[in-house]
mmCIF file of all heavy atoms in Angstrom:
data_model
loop_
_atom_site.group_PDB
_atom_site.id
_atom_site.type_symbol
_atom_site.label_atom_id
_atom_site.label_comp_id
_atom_site.label_asym_id
_atom_site.label_seq_id
_atom_site.Cartn_x
_atom_site.Cartn_y
_atom_site.Cartn_z
ATOM 1 N N THR A 313 -11.667 -35.430 -3.952
ATOM 2 C CA THR A 313 -12.539 -35.930 -5.006
ATOM 3 C C THR A 313 -13.579 -36.890 -4.434
ATOM 4 O O THR A 313 -14.741 -36.887 -4.843
ATOM 5 C CB THR A 313 -11.702 -36.656 -6.084
ATOM 6 O OG1 THR A 313 -10.530 -35.885 -6.329
ATOM 7 C CG2 THR A 313 -12.486 -36.815 -7.358
ATOM 8 N N HIS A 343 -10.932 -35.932 -13.882
ATOM 9 C CA HIS A 343 -12.058 -36.096 -12.968
ATOM 10 C C HIS A 343 -13.149 -36.950 -13.599
ATOM 11 O O HIS A 343 -13.804 -37.737 -12.926
ATOM 12 C CB HIS A 343 -12.612 -34.732 -12.556
ATOM 13 C CG HIS A 343 -11.792 -34.052 -11.501
ATOM 14 N ND1 HIS A 343 -11.494 -34.649 -10.306
ATOM 15 C CD2 HIS A 343 -11.216 -32.835 -11.466
ATOM 16 C CE1 HIS A 343 -10.758 -33.815 -9.577
ATOM 17 N NE2 HIS A 343 -10.569 -32.715 -10.270
ATOM 18 N N ASP A 407 -13.756 -27.335 -8.510
ATOM 19 C CA ASP A 407 -12.474 -27.805 -8.001
ATOM 20 C C ASP A 407 -11.438 -26.703 -8.141
ATOM 21 O O ASP A 407 -11.464 -25.950 -9.095
ATOM 22 C CB ASP A 407 -12.034 -29.035 -8.806
ATOM 23 C CG ASP A 407 -10.847 -29.727 -8.147
ATOM 24 O OD1 ASP A 407 -10.620 -29.521 -6.944
ATOM 25 O OD2 ASP A 407 -10.148 -30.478 -8.850
ATOM 26 N N GLU A 408 -10.526 -26.638 -7.165
ATOM 27 C CA GLU A 408 -9.427 -25.674 -7.228
ATOM 28 C C GLU A 408 -9.989 -24.293 -7.492
ATOM 29 O O GLU A 408 -9.618 -23.638 -8.447
ATOM 30 C CB GLU A 408 -8.449 -26.049 -8.354
ATOM 31 C CG GLU A 408 -8.050 -27.501 -8.388
ATOM 32 C CD GLU A 408 -7.074 -27.874 -7.282
ATOM 33 O OE1 GLU A 408 -6.524 -26.959 -6.649
ATOM 34 O OE2 GLU A 408 -6.903 -29.071 -7.059
HETATM 35 MG MG1 MG B 812 -7.912 -32.809 -6.658
#
Side-chain angles (χ1 to χ4, degrees):
T313 318
H343 281 305
D407 191 20
E408 313 286 347

